[in-house]
Each structure stands twice: as structure tokens, then as C-alpha cells.
Amino acid sequence: MKIERIDIIVTCPGRNFVTVKVVTSDGVHGLGDATLNGRELAVHAYLQEHVVPCLIGRDPRNIEDIWQYLYRGAYWRRGPVTMTAIAAIDMALWDIKGKLADMPVYQLLGGKSRDGLMVYGHANGRDHAEAVDAVLKHQEEGYKAIRVQSGVPGLEKTYGVGKTQGYYEPAEKGLPPEEPWDTALYLRHTPELFRKVREAVGPDAHLLHDAHHRLTPIEAAQLGKSLEPYRLFWIEDATPAENQESFRLIRQHTTTPLAVGEVFNAIWDCNQLIREQLVDYIRATIVHAGGITHVRRIADYAAMYQVRTGFHGATDLSPVCMAAAVNFGLWVPNFGIQELMPHSPLTDAVFPHNYRFEQGYLVMDEVPGLGVEIDETLAAQYPYERAYLPVARLRDGSMWNW
Ligand code: EZ4
Ligand code: CO
């Protein structure tokens, strides 16, 4: 059996997605997500020019060898563009293997460890009252775990707060929008937000919050400490993690659990964080961290230190990645939680999929492969449109982490 053709499909049903379709000489095909928000065409070019020509004619069943060939064989290792391209091919090959075996990918990984993946939804509001309402609405919809983000008085825009309720899409058409940031205001208002939310939802709901890389380590420590009375499930991306050691300082000061890694692309990005037990949940996800083959290594390594998974699942991770995440999460023994930002109905129509939300969990049936397809005719009606994530500046104009 040979890889006969690899198509790279770019579509924008409201937001951009890049999808790889690997077609074999047996007529079986597999899909992989290759979407890197705001840098989509870099991955497209990497695949088109540097990956696809090397794979034609290879045996698609040799997933591990192809992974090593693309990783070691590039000489230039790691990086988000490379690892997203590798991830897309890897996902497609697992999809093919599942279809060949007539089994879901979770069966190939070792079978089900659970019935469904507990997910957390996104409740947000322009102010605390709106955020509390959104949390209660999520509870009614069956969510057991809810991320809460709110506008900060005095800031025109805040990360995590969308234009419309129920759907948050940070990327905007055109060039990167600029948003102001003020750490002092944020640190002052956030404990108050969670006091109100915890009071409204009662003791059972799991509450999460994303600091989105805005804080220094000591500021993150202050936030963690101030939120302890409200018993958060986690604080996400408390501080940037290029310097993995910086999490030690946060850890020394707070028992609020920590999650990090949505921008990681290799096991090396989390090596010290896991080994020194500086975080509780690792968010490195299938599309941006080398596919199922590599994320499985991260999860196994994390399991040795009682670190659990908490994969990124924002709207820029396509239903193809979500299908892979559901398969992975059904198997992985040290599963923690899965992020879920539902896609728009149009995106769901472009990518028909088997997984679904049921009473706070993501579940899927015993279908072959990843359980996701692409409607190429519909996809073709929505060509790529340039879009970027925003950038952040402090009040004095200095660039900050968005
Ligand atoms: O900003 O996916 O936890 N979710 C997030 C997302 C990210 C986007 C970036 O592409 O932090 O909202
Ligand atoms: Co995040």
C-alpha cells in the first residue's frame, strides 16, 4: 500500500482551517488538522513544498517511521510550523490505520478508559453580572466544568470576552488588532469575579480561568493565592513558559492548580514542568504538538508525575483535531479535562463528525478511524481570508503578551 496523493485544503467557513487529506493506493483516505491560527499559510507551504513530495509512494501504515522521518529528517527540529505540519500527517495516518482495521483510533491506542471526556465550556461576559449569567446558562446546558472570563472595568477589551454570547473567536479578519492591557486592574477585579461566581453556582461546578500569559511569575502567585477561597479547577497559562523554571515560584506560593502548554509543540517544552511537578495539567495538543504519536509520549511522561491532560480545544482547532482529541481522551489513562468551544454550525457542516456533547461530556460511537470527514464542495465555497490574533500593549505603548 502506498501514499498516492496528499491534498491540502484551505477553507474559511467563518474562520480559517487547513486540512490535510492523505489518499492511499487502496482508496482509503485520512484527514489531519494543520491549522495554526494567524500563520495558516506557513504550514500550507511547509507541507506543500517540503513534506508532500517526500511522502508520495511511502507505506502509510508506517506511522512511526514517517513521524521520525519528518522530525529527525528535517534537521531543523521543533517549532510550531514544523510540528503542526507533522501533526497533520500523523493524524491522517492514524485515521487511515483505523479505517483499515475497521476500528476507532481509540481502540488502536488501547481501548476505552472511560465513557466520555469531561469538558469545560466558556462562560464570559462584559462585566461580572453578565459572566455570572453565562456560567449559570452553561450549568443548565449540562456543563460540569466552566471557564470564566470577564471584562475588566477600565479596559476597552479583555481576552476571552466575545462580541456575542456563547461564541468566542479571537482572530479577526485583516491585520492584527491592538488591545490594551493593565495587569493591576485585572488583579484587582478577578478575585471579586470568582467570589460572585462561586456564590452563584454553588460548591459542585468546576471553575477554570485563563490568565493567557499576561502575568509575571510573582503576579501569577498573587492571583493563585487570591483565588484559593473559590477552589478553582485550574489557572491556565499563568505566565509564559519559555522559562519553565518560572513556574517554581508560582508553585511555592499557591495551591491553586496550574495548567499550561497550549502553545507548546514538543515534549521538550514541558520536560522540566512535568519532571519537577510544577504544573498539574498539560495542554499541549494534537494539532500543534506533533500529532497523536508525539502527544502520546507527552501524556505517558506526564503520567509518571501525576500530571494529567487538559488539551486546548478552542475554535481554531478544527473538528478534525477535536475528533482526534476525543479518540485520544477516551484512551489516555491520565486524562484530566478537555476544553470545548463549540464550532459554528457552518464549520460543523464543512466537517461532519461523530463526536458530540452529552451532559457535560464528549462522546463518540464505535466508528472507524477518527470519525470525521470534510465536505470538499462546501469547503471550496469559503476561500481563505487573512486573519490575525490581536496583539496587546501596555498603557505606555509597550508590547505585551496577548
Ligand atoms: O487564545 O486558541 O484556552 N484557549 C485559548 C484560546 C487561544 C486561541 C489562540 O489561537 O487560550 O482562546
Ligand atoms: Co488558553
Side-chain angles (χ1 to χ4, degrees):
M1 184 186 297
K2 288 182 166 48
I3 295 177
E4 205 166 71
R5 206 178 80 228
I6 303 180
D7 301 333
I8 307 162
I9 304 155
V10 184
T11 179
C12 187
R15 69 157 353 281
N16 290 310
F17 293 109
V18 182
T19 309
V20 154
K21 180 178 176 184
V22 177
V23 182
T24 72
S25 52
D26 283 29
V28 181
H29 71 270
L31 295 182
D33 182 15
T35 310
L36 184 60
N37 208 0
R39 296 292 185 273
E40 293 87 356
L41 299 188
V43 184
H44 183 283
Y46 190 101
L47 284 161
Q48 187 76 59
E49 300 301 321
H50 308 295
V51 172
V52 171
C54 307
L55 297 186
I56 304 302
R58 284 179 195 277
D59 189 333
R61 293 170 297 187
N62 296 341
I63 300 178
E64 186 65 50
D65 183 65
I66 289 175
W67 195 95
Q68 299 291 339
Y69 179 82
L70 294 176
Y71 183 83
R72 293 170 193 268
Y75 187 65
W76 314 105
R77 296 184 185 195
R78 301 163 60 184
V81 174
T82 300
M83 297 306 279
T84 301
I86 295 177
I89 298 294
D90 186 77
M91 259 180 264
L93 298 183
W94 279 99
D95 192 21
I96 288 169
K97 199 179 275 298
K99 287 173 179 169
L100 291 174
D102 200 24
M103 286 181 192
V105 169
Y106 68 75
Q107 291 293 10
L108 305 182
L109 290 168
K112 272 189 183 182
S113 302
R114 57 192 56 77
D115 302 326
L117 290 69
M118 182 170 78
V119 294
Y120 68 92
H122 283 207
N124 58 68
R126 284 167 298 184
D127 55 29
H128 292 181
E130 257 188 34
V132 169
D133 284 348
V135 173
L136 294 174
K137 195 161 160 279
H138 276 78
Q139 242 185 345
E140 277 165 31
E141 288 167 13
Y143 282 93
K144 311 272 180 274
I146 304 158
R147 184 187 99 155
V148 194
Q149 310 290 137
S150 167
V152 175
L155 276 181
E156 300 90 275
K157 268 198 100 189
T158 315
Y159 165 77
V161 182
K163 293 188 200 82
T164 52
Q165 266 301 338
Y167 185 78
Y168 174 62
E169 173 55 68
E172 287 188 31
K173 304 272 161 68
L175 296 176
E178 304 216 346
E179 295 177 359
W181 177 249
D182 187 326
T183 302
L185 283 179
Y186 167 80
L187 286 179
R188 190 171 348 131
H189 287 283
T190 305
E192 183 60 10
L193 166 69
F194 278 92
R195 188 186 65 73
K196 292 175 189 159
V197 170
R198 178 53 83 195
E199 198 180 283
V201 293
D204 287 342
H206 298 300
L207 299 175
L208 298 82
H209 181 66
D210 192 347
H212 219 263
H213 307 113
R214 303 293 168 88
L215 306 175
T216 65
I218 197 67
E219 289 163 351
Q222 287 170 18
L223 179 69
K225 216 169 174 175
S226 66
L227 294 179
E228 280 171 21
Y230 317 115
R231 295 184 301 100
L232 264 63
F233 187 95
W234 79 31
I235 293 178
E236 174 179 331
D237 292 337
T239 196
E242 285 104 323
N243 178 10
Q244 297 180 29
E245 281 173 25
S246 58
F247 275 72
R248 200 181 292 139
L249 189 145
I250 308 173
R251 235 354 178 203
Q252 283 164 349
H253 293 285
T254 181
T255 55
T256 297
L258 302 172
V260 75
E262 66 183 44
V263 302
F264 292 0
N265 51 72
I267 197 166
W268 301 103
D269 296 326
C270 25
N271 185 15
Q272 186 181 8
L273 288 167
I274 291 173
R275 196 179 63 246
E276 296 186 16
Q277 302 178 33
L278 301 178
V279 296
D280 303 281
Y281 297 91
I282 195 77
R283 289 177 51 70
T285 193
I286 293 170
V287 57
H288 299 136
I292 291 171
T293 297
H294 193 62
V295 168
R296 182 170 59 169
R297 299 216 155 93
I298 296 176
D300 282 342
Y301 183 49
M304 291 171 60
Y305 300 93
Q306 300 194 47
V307 174
R308 293 189 282 165
T309 63
F311 289 178
H312 191 199
T315 39
D316 48 303
L317 288 76
S318 92
V320 177
C321 177
M322 288 307 291
V326 172
N327 276 276
F328 193 91
L330 283 174
W331 158 71
V332 70
N334 51 323
F335 175 80
I337 199 166
Q338 168 68 50
E339 182 177 18
L340 176 66
M341 279 169 94
H343 289 109
S344 70
L346 186 55
T347 295
D348 285 339
V350 170
F351 297 97
H353 51 266
N354 181 270
Y355 68 81
R356 60 195 175 273
F357 177 86
E358 273 178 15
Q359 307 191 1
Y361 294 85
L362 276 177
V363 298
M364 67 175 280
D365 302 317
E366 185 133 11
V367 293
L370 295 175
V372 63
E373 286 302 332
I374 184 166
D375 182 336
E376 293 186 58
T377 315
L378 189 58
Q381 292 174 27
Y382 303 98
Y384 170 79
E385 291 181 58
R386 175 177 287 130
Y388 281 94
L389 289 168
V391 298
R393 288 189 190 276
L394 302 179
R395 288 296 183 196
D396 71 354
S398 320
M399 280 293 298
W400 196 245
N401 318 311
W402 175 73

